[in-house]
Amino acid sequence: MPRLPRAPRLEDFRSPVHGPQLTARLGVWLGSMFLVCFVTGLVSHVQQHPLPFLTLPPDPSWAYRVNEGLHVAAGTACLPLLLAKMYAAYPRLFERPLLGGPVRALERGSIAVLVASAFLQVFTGIANVAQWYYFGFFFTTVHFAIAWVAIGALVVHIAVKLPLIRAALTRPPADAESTSESLTSARDRRWFLGSALGVAAGAIGLTVGSAVPSLEGLSALRSRRPSTSPDGIPINKSASSAEVTDADTGTAWRLDLVGPGGSRSLSYQDLLAMPSTTVQLPIACVEGWSAMGTWTGVRVRDLARLVGGGGRDVRVGSLEQEGLYATSTLPAVYADHDDTLLALQLNAAPLSQDHGRPARIIAPNRPGVLQTKWVTRLEVLA
Ligand SMILES: Nc1nc2c(c(=O)[nH]1)N[C@H]1C(S)=C(S)[C@@H](COP(=O)(O)O)O[C@H]1N2
Ligand SMILES: [Mo]
């Protein structure tokens, strides 16, 4: 009678790739990328949802662009690093006892939570960049919540493993290293680590062109291509998908101004008659793509002053009727900034319908989602 094969044991995995030397080094890289994602993610969150006591400043105007580019690049690098680390560590699944005492149970549990939350973050993030909403939940809220779970599990994981990490990252004495066996093992590990880092760097290179114009040609997997987009800026949501019609944005269009000093209704001609300003500012989407534009229009500050505003928050309303991005609020420091415009032109031509005709918000250091298009109302808040 044939004997059943026994289940593998930890000792059966002999490759030098499986072991603390490599998992610790991969962990340093993966942990660093994670930290970049976490910090830039927090910044992005505060930019999109300013707190009464914490509004990030409008200068420098490129900060959000860089922040978001870093967030998506570091997140992209996490996928190959995560897979490499899983491969290096998976024989541990065959270590017995499965749970053991409380410290080991904590260690196992934190890893399970960490792995699950890390994959969830990477997959939802990449899906969002690709605008593939296969999941039934609202991306932003879930991605933000799981980030806290992941960072919590990571802290526990590092704390529990610290002695092991220390030992693995400290070089053994020279004579202990010099057998030919250990030299080959060290070489194999270096090769594996180098390959994992190479794939991670490659993944960044293949995608980062959505935000870095000079790398656009290299980035075969970029999500957007600014150079061939209308006016050099990709279109996030088209007028037709926002159900904004040509009739809405034609001669019948009005800008309603509401404030503590009363209300006004301006035509497009009225706006053209006001002092105009031209600024160079990027649109930087949360999805990581960004592109520079030259915008001409009327300062929001000047418009707010027509209805007794100035020094206050301004709520922006769009012709778009529904959806989360139909309205946005400019915090007072943004509304009063010299470069915050109700833009009428992009690159010296009237705005195209899809870029927000006849008027849209453009402000420095502001997430793309808040650069409201097809504006029809500005309300100075009390
Ligand atoms: N009314 C309205 N404005 C909007 C949006 C929208 O869905 N509705 N999308 C925003 C997002 S997510 C981005 S990134 C920018 C992109 O501007 P663009 O399409 O002109 O490049 O517009 C913003 N303005
Ligand atoms: Mo966006």
Side-chain angles (χ1 to χ4, degrees):
M1 207 176 132
R3 284 185 39 200
L4 284 173
R6 67 170 175 78
R9 297 187 192 124
L10 185 57
E11 316 77 79
D12 298 335
F13 299 88
R14 300 235 183 77
S15 160
V17 164
H18 306 303
Q21 290 97 333
L22 194 64
T23 50
R25 279 171 182 81
L26 280 167
V28 170
W29 284 95
L30 186 56
S32 310
M33 292 298 124
F34 236 79
L35 205 62
V36 171
C37 283
F38 187 70
V39 172
T40 52
L42 281 187
V43 169
S44 179
H45 189 83
V46 173
Q47 297 274 70
Q48 211 177 322
H49 311 275
L51 301 165
F53 53 91
L54 181 62
T55 301
L56 295 173
D59 292 296
S61 64
W62 44 261
Y64 187 77
R65 184 180 193 187
V66 171
N67 185 78
E68 224 45 34
L70 278 176
H71 183 77
V72 171
T76 305
C78 280
L79 181 58
L81 292 176
L82 201 51
L83 292 172
K85 181 136 158 105
M86 301 288 293
Y87 178 74
Y90 90 91
R92 294 266 145 202
L93 288 174
F94 299 99
E95 198 175 29
R96 293 296 177 267
L98 198 58
L99 288 180
V103 175
R104 188 166 155 78
L106 183 66
E107 187 243 305
R108 297 280 96 178
S110 71
I111 290 177
V113 174
L114 183 55
V115 170
S117 56
F119 272 110
L120 197 61
Q121 289 302 75
V122 169
F123 282 128
T124 53
I126 290 175
N128 188 57
V129 167
Q131 298 194 317
W132 179 42
Y133 298 105
Y134 65 88
F135 32 76
F137 48 76
F138 180 50
F139 167 76
T140 317
T141 316
V142 172
H143 200 66
F144 182 65
I146 303 293
W148 291 99
V149 177
I151 209 77
L154 181 61
V155 168
V156 173
H157 178 60
I158 293 174
V160 173
K161 295 277 189 182
L162 203 55
L164 193 72
I165 297 171
R166 275 230 186 94
L169 295 180
T170 323
R171 254 178 201 291
D175 56 343
E177 265 233 60
S178 53
T179 68
S180 73
E181 225 257 84
S182 67
L183 285 176
T184 328
S185 299
R187 195 201 55 205
D188 287 354
R189 282 194 292 268
R190 267 202 304 279
W191 186 87
F192 188 89
L193 179 65
S195 309
L197 293 178
V199 174
I204 292 178
L206 284 173
T207 51
V208 80
S210 302
V212 183
S214 55
L215 295 178
E216 202 189 273
L218 176 81
S219 290
L221 299 179
R222 66 189 171 259
S223 62
R224 299 301 184 96
R225 187 163 189 178
S227 74
T228 56
S229 301
D231 301 301
I233 299 184
I235 286 157
N236 176 270
K237 190 178 211 176
S238 67
S240 63
S241 63
E243 297 185 10
V244 173
T245 65
D246 290 356
D248 294 332
T249 60
T251 45
W253 177 86
R254 307 288 295 185
L255 175 68
D256 293 325
L257 297 176
V258 182
S263 48
R264 295 275 298 268
S265 171
L266 303 184
S267 69
Y268 188 67
Q269 299 306 322
D270 295 335
L271 290 176
L272 289 179
M274 288 183 71
S276 92
T277 304
T278 296
V279 298
Q280 280 254 323
L281 285 178
I283 295 265
C285 184
V286 286
E287 294 151 17
W289 63 264
S290 55
M292 203 64 161
T294 303
W295 309 88
T296 302
V298 180
R299 287 197 173 119
V300 167
R301 189 177 63 205
D302 293 347
L303 293 165
R305 282 185 184 153
L306 292 178
V307 287
R312 298 166 195 253
D313 296 359
V314 173
R315 185 181 294 147
V316 181
S318 171
L319 288 169
E320 186 183 7
Q321 294 296 312
E322 310 224 318
L324 281 170
Y325 310 126
T327 63
S328 65
T329 300
L330 287 158
V333 276
Y334 286 76
D336 279 350
H337 195 280
D338 280 352
D339 292 351
T340 298
L341 306 183
L342 184 69
L344 308 176
Q345 296 188 351
L346 168 56
N347 301 334
L351 287 176
S352 65
Q353 184 78 348
D354 285 340
H355 277 309
R357 173 182 299 162
R360 74 169 303 157
I361 290 297
I362 187 77
N365 196 22
R366 190 163 163 84
V369 287
L370 303 181
Q371 309 276 31
T372 309
K373 304 197 276 192
W374 312 292
V375 171
T376 189
R377 184 184 159 90
L378 294 178
E379 181 186 350
V380 178
L381 299 177

